[in-house]
Amino acid sequence: MRKMASIKNKLTVSFVSLSLMSLILLGTIVYNKVYNTTQKDYIHSIEKQITQVDNSFNNYIVGFEENLNMFSKGILNLENQLTSYIDKGYGTDYMSPRSPADEELESSLYKNFENFSETHDGIESVFISSESNGGYMQYPSVPREKGYDPRTRSWYSEGKNSKDKVSFTDVYKTSSGDMVISTITSIKDGNSNFKGVIGF
């Protein structure tokens, strides 16, 4: 009887041990399966969100490029057409631009810039500058320091060298001290001669 009880106990222990090992193995397999599936689903979800954000951003950028190209190609003559502050001899440190109503081109551009800015979120200002006389205009109007020459600014150089493409500047400090990034492109006449830079 004692021998039979011993064999029975051994069999019971072996069965329990085998069952536990099977459960542990099964649990490990299930855990790995769930973990891998969850990880794949998570990665897929993140990739999908990144793709959506990327597409939205690209559409946003394409819209900027199309609008800026529309502006640049609609301006055929900038020759000495914009107010220049380079040789102004004002006694004060700053001055306001002359009213856009003083000049037909400036008036037309100012209204177009105003409409564009007010109908596009995220556009704080729209500006244009001329190569011929260093003229400058922007919406909304801001004080310009006497002697201001946009052609010496980093954004102007980038726009001039943009090779007919819309580009984004590095972060730079404006003359008013703000840190900004601008979307810019060059303006050329019908003979592909460089005439200025436009951006927002």
Side-chain angles (χ1 to χ4, degrees):
M1 284 296 282
R2 210 177 267 179
K3 190 171 182 181
M4 289 293 293
S6 178
I7 293 173
K8 185 179 179 180
N9 288 338
K10 286 181 179 179
L11 287 172
T12 302
V13 170
S14 296
F15 177 75
V16 171
S17 298
L18 186 61
S19 297
L20 285 173
M21 288 178 65
S22 298
L23 288 172
I24 292 172
L25 180 60
L26 181 62
T28 302
I29 293 173
V30 170
Y31 171 80
N32 286 333
K33 183 71 173 175
V34 171
Y35 175 80
N36 290 333
T37 301
T38 302
Q39 186 180 46
K40 287 178 181 177
D41 289 345
Y42 178 74
I43 292 173
H44 178 70
S45 175
I46 293 298
E47 289 176 343
K48 187 176 180 180
Q49 291 179 33
I50 290 174
T51 300
Q52 289 175 341
V53 171
D54 188 54
N55 288 338
S56 296
F57 184 73
N58 284 337
N59 290 335
Y60 187 65
I61 297 304
V62 167
F64 270 14
E65 292 176 345
E66 290 176 348
N67 284 308
L68 204 53
N69 279 325
M70 176 191 69
F71 273 128
S72 66
K73 288 177 172 51
I75 303 169
L76 300 178
N77 181 23
L78 264 186
E79 204 74 26
N80 300 318
Q81 295 290 310
L82 299 178
T83 302
S84 174
Y85 301 102
I86 297 172
D87 298 322
K88 299 290 185 182
Y90 289 74
T92 56
D93 289 334
Y94 291 86
M95 60 191 166
S96 296
R98 66 181 169 184
S99 168
D102 291 344
E103 295 291 336
E104 184 177 348
L105 177 65
E106 286 192 350
S107 177
S108 174
L109 287 175
Y110 193 85
K111 289 175 182 176
N112 289 336
F113 289 175
E114 180 179 17
N115 290 335
F116 179 77
S117 180
E118 291 181 351
T119 55
H120 291 76
D121 291 334
I123 303 296
E124 294 187 3
S125 67
V126 187
F127 54 87
I128 185 171
S129 53
S130 170
E131 175 75 3
S132 60
N133 67 338
Y136 180 86
M137 189 199 74
Q138 82 168 59
Y139 173 85
S141 293
V142 293
R144 284 293 103 190
E145 186 174 359
K146 63 181 180 181
Y148 177 77
D149 187 348
R151 297 172 297 185
T152 64
R153 306 292 295 174
S154 61
W155 56 263
Y156 190 91
S157 298
E158 289 186 48
K160 188 173 183 177
N161 297 319
S162 63
K163 301 185 183 301
D164 299 329
K165 294 181 179 179
V166 173
S167 61
F168 292 82
T169 67
D170 293 329
V171 177
Y172 67 93
K173 182 182 285 189
T174 66
S175 55
S176 59
D178 296 324
M179 302 301 293
V180 299
I181 295 176
S182 292
T183 309
I184 54 174
T185 193
S186 59
I187 300 172
K188 294 188 176 181
D189 63 16
N191 296 318
S192 297
N193 297 311
F194 175 74
K195 292 299 178 179
V197 173
I198 186 170
F200 44 73

